[in-house]
Amino acid sequence: MNSSLKIYNTLSRKKVLFEPLHAPHVGIYVCGPTVYSDVHLGNCRTFTTFDVVVRYLRYLGYQVRYLRNITDVGHLVDDVDEGEDKIAKRAKLENLEPMEIVQRYTVGFHKVMQQLNNLPPSIEPTATGHISEQITLIEQILARGYAYVANGSVYFDVPAYLKNYPYGELSGRVVEDLLSSTRDLDGQNDKKHPADFALWKLANSAHIMRWPSPWGEGFPGWHIECSAMSTKYLGQVFDIHGGGMDLQFPHHECEIAQARGAHEHAPVRYWMHANMLTMNGQKMSKSLGNSILPKELFLGSHPLLSQPFSPMTLRFAFLQTHYRSTMDLSADALKAAQIGYKKLMNGLRIAKRLTEPQSYHAPNDKLIAELLKTCERVLAGLDDDFNTAVALAALFDLAKKLSQFEAGQLSLADLDAASYARLKTTYIDITEKVLGLVEEQPKTEGLVSVLLSDYAAAKSEKNFERVDALRAIAKSMGLAFKDMKTGITWTYDEA
Ligand code: AMP
Ligand code: ZN
């Protein structure tokens, strides 16, 4: 398979041509949510980024196995190796079984992913469903001398690993920094070295999530699940690993060390990291208390929002910023996205109802060249490290042309069959299949067509009062009636 897709690899810190190991097969692993609370808009941005990555790879013809895990054990509060498990803590607070918490937030997560039109992964493995694989991997690391057992826990031995491999390559941290920045909460743990990290932790008597292991009853460290599950389903070396930038360290750095510690090979060919969604310049995060939930946005119930914004408006807003740039969320940005989304959908409606001319005139080469160049810009944007912002800008140029064709300012008969087909399929397929932006309002179609015929009748009777009243009703529904040469139609109101 030949494609000109370039991906920015966080590990090599440059854009490189994407050459999968076993084309046309592509394996991608994305770190999923820890299901102890609702996902917030920041999490949604990262998951939407990788949804488009998967969609575009499939559009290019790759057969993608897409894994996105569910972390349902082992992620301790404060992301360190001591303290309570996030899920167990929540379960205790609510007097529920940990798996009730997991079930509730997994269901909620799936609902939000569906609202945002994010495709389900091919496999969605859970940490608790892969305890034995994690134990096996830890045994391999122990056997190769890169881990040690201490009082029923197992730690990765960073100094031993450093003798043979670099540590800190991905995040750019050097071990000396790690020593000073690694938090040792109570100074009482069993680590030989502060940079070591837990692979398996002995469960104390209060710890409710626990499994038997060769080292006693305990639970896995946070990082080992992703190594175990990616190896199981994608192999020791696979193509793409994604997540938010905040996972580069320690999570992904530890994954690299675990994989090399277990089997020598660097596990991932292309590391991709999505930048953060911020609010007033600060990372959106539950612990910072500045997170907005999707449902608060969709209902307009958050104090910072004076109106609701739909899931597709949010998706559009995400895609208007390249994934490696930070995106600051504001009501103004969302309002602009709402208008942009409607423009794109107006183009989509036109593209879908275009019919091929019965016959073509002599081709207008200039027009055809311009259209084809714009179609190429759409794909060139996506090929350039999934630059959805560039792709959207080119789609807007195509939307302008589409409305000129519909208004009769340009004629489809000046094209040829190939360029007509290219225009139509590029617009529709990239918008819907790759960017995942679809129409949100078809349920009102029936009602709108009644209003529209009423409007046409009022116009021909010159009943302007009724015409105005019907226009106002359309506006209140977020629509506009348009008088075209070909008749009367409705569009999304872009005002
Ligand atoms: P968590 O459940 O906190 O592990 O997060 C799930 C995913 O969301 C991870 O890939 C995080 O890197 C990502 N994430 C967390 N906060 C943000 C944010 N403010 N903006 C973008 N992605 C985020
Ligand atoms: Zn992970």
Side-chain angles (χ1 to χ4, degrees):
M1 183 150 313
N2 232 338
S3 89
S4 38
L5 171 63
K6 285 194 170 158
I7 298 184
Y8 182 86
N9 188 347
T10 324
L11 189 62
S12 60
R13 293 172 178 72
K14 58 179 185 235
K15 264 186 225 169
V16 283
L17 192 67
F18 179 58
E19 293 171 307
L21 255 187
H22 305 293
H25 300 279
V26 171
I28 171 166
Y29 187 99
V30 175
C31 290
T34 305
V35 281
Y36 75 107
S37 66
D38 289 312
V39 284
H40 57 63
L41 296 183
N43 308 132
C44 292
R45 181 185 181 206
T46 290
F47 296 129
T48 304
T49 292
F50 290 103
D51 180 64
V52 173
V53 168
V54 171
R55 284 169 175 274
Y56 189 51
L57 290 170
R58 288 189 177 143
Y59 174 83
L60 292 177
Y62 293 112
Q63 288 170 37
V64 183
R65 181 178 287 173
Y66 168 29
L67 264 89
R68 188 183 63 209
N69 67 305
I70 294 281
T71 297
D72 57 355
V73 68
H75 196 166
L76 307 187
V77 287
D78 296 331
D79 298 347
V80 291
D81 282 346
E82 296 297 321
E84 273 190 283
D85 184 292
K86 289 183 177 182
I87 291 161
K89 183 176 175 195
R90 186 74 188 234
K92 257 191 238 160
L93 272 174
E94 297 201 28
N95 208 12
L96 293 171
E97 274 293 323
M99 282 300 136
E100 287 182 283
I101 297 295
V102 165
Q103 184 71 22
R104 179 201 294 165
Y105 292 111
T106 302
V107 169
F109 170 60
H110 287 161
K111 183 174 169 201
V112 171
M113 290 300 100
Q114 211 171 15
Q115 285 172 312
L116 283 170
N117 198 24
N118 283 337
L119 298 171
S122 328
I123 305 177
E124 191 171 50
T126 60
T128 58
H130 295 78
I131 298 291
S132 68
E133 286 84 351
Q134 296 179 70
I135 290 175
T136 304
L137 196 66
I138 296 169
E139 285 176 323
Q140 286 164 3
I141 301 171
L142 276 167
R144 291 196 356 111
Y146 296 116
Y148 56 90
V149 181
N151 292 324
S153 293
V154 186
Y155 292 97
F156 193 89
D157 191 336
V158 173
Y161 179 79
L162 262 172
K163 287 187 189 140
N164 295 320
Y165 305 101
Y167 182 70
E169 278 174 297
L170 182 68
S171 57
R173 300 197 188 198
V174 290
V175 174
E176 291 70 40
D177 291 348
L178 297 179
L179 295 186
S180 52
S181 67
T182 308
R183 271 192 288 165
D184 186 357
L185 276 190
D186 49 13
Q188 298 285 307
N189 68 40
D190 301 308
K191 289 182 194 178
K192 289 202 284 198
H193 192 285
D196 295 349
F197 57 90
L199 299 173
W200 186 265
K201 289 286 289 180
L202 177 77
N204 63 30
S205 55
H207 204 98
I208 40 182
M209 297 177 86
R210 54 205 295 147
W211 290 264
S213 83
W215 317 286
E217 278 212 352
F219 59 95
W222 170 33
H223 317 301
I224 196 75
E225 64 169 288
C226 291
S227 293
M229 299 189 293
S230 60
T231 309
K232 172 162 178 158
Y233 298 108
L234 301 176
Q236 290 184 347
V237 182
F238 59 97
D239 295 305
I240 301 177
H241 193 317
M245 283 228 308
D246 56 341
L247 297 186
Q248 276 180 31
F249 186 86
H251 189 52
H252 292 160
E253 202 74 77
C254 294
E255 274 188 53
I256 295 175
Q258 289 167 160
R260 280 212 182 115
H263 55 64
E264 185 83 36
H265 311 292
V268 173
R269 288 162 56 81
Y270 303 88
W271 280 99
M272 289 184 68
H273 289 97
N275 213 325
M276 295 291 105
L277 183 72
T278 58
M279 289 263 294
N280 301 318
Q282 202 178 28
K283 174 188 166 187
M284 182 175 287
S285 127
K286 197 162 184 289
S287 52
L288 291 172
N290 67 347
S291 59
I292 299 186
L293 301 182
K295 65 182 171 211
E296 294 172 323
L297 185 87
F298 303 155
L299 295 170
S301 62
H302 193 276
L304 289 175
L305 301 166
S306 55
Q307 65 174 97
F309 292 97
S310 73
M312 282 296 115
T313 297
L314 178 64
R315 186 173 178 101
F316 183 94
F318 287 156
L319 301 186
Q320 253 193 331
T321 308
H322 184 234
Y323 77 90
R324 283 196 294 115
S325 305
T326 53
M327 172 184 164
D328 204 50
L329 194 77
S330 67
D332 284 349
L334 287 164
K335 275 185 199 154
Q338 194 172 45
I339 294 171
Y341 165 68
K342 286 180 183 175
K343 269 192 190 158
L344 193 72
M345 289 302 108
N346 283 336
L348 185 66
R349 289 172 53 75
I350 297 173
K352 284 188 173 174
R353 63 177 174 246
L354 281 189
T355 47
E356 186 166 12
Q358 301 281 332
S359 60
Y360 291 97
H361 312 146
N364 177 338
D365 293 335
K366 191 165 165 253
L367 176 63
I368 291 175
E370 191 189 350
L371 280 176
L372 295 183
K373 208 166 151 207
T374 315
C375 290
E376 272 161 29
R377 271 172 49 219
V378 177
L379 296 180
L382 293 164
D383 271 345
D384 184 16
D385 193 27
F386 308 95
N387 198 328
T388 49
V390 169
L392 278 172
L395 283 173
F396 277 137
D397 289 345
L398 288 183
K400 245 183 252 161
K401 286 279 181 287
L402 286 167
S403 75
Q404 288 173 337
F405 281 120
E406 178 153 270
Q409 293 155 339
L410 292 174
S411 166
L412 286 172
D414 288 340
L415 306 182
D416 53 26
S419 53
Y420 168 81
R422 181 86 192 276
L423 167 67
K424 188 163 170 140
T425 54
T426 301
Y427 196 94
I428 297 174
D429 289 353
I430 299 297
T431 302
E432 290 190 321
K433 288 193 194 145
V434 177
L435 300 180
L437 290 162
V438 291
E439 269 199 86
E440 259 171 346
Q441 249 172 328
K443 49 184 177 301
T444 57
E445 286 266 18
L447 175 59
V448 175
S449 65
V450 172
L451 288 172
L452 206 57
S453 53
D454 203 1
Y455 175 80
K459 281 214 96 168
S460 63
E461 290 159 15
K462 299 202 178 341
N463 182 348
F464 297 116
E465 213 172 304
R466 181 124 190 95
V467 164
D468 286 346
L470 287 162
R471 279 186 187 276
I473 294 174
K475 194 163 180 65
S476 73
M477 295 167 74
L479 308 177
F481 291 151
K482 288 259 155 78
D483 309 308
M484 311 293 292
K485 263 195 191 158
T486 44
I488 289 170
T489 185
W490 67 265
T491 65
Y492 295 105
D493 184 18
E494 293 173 15

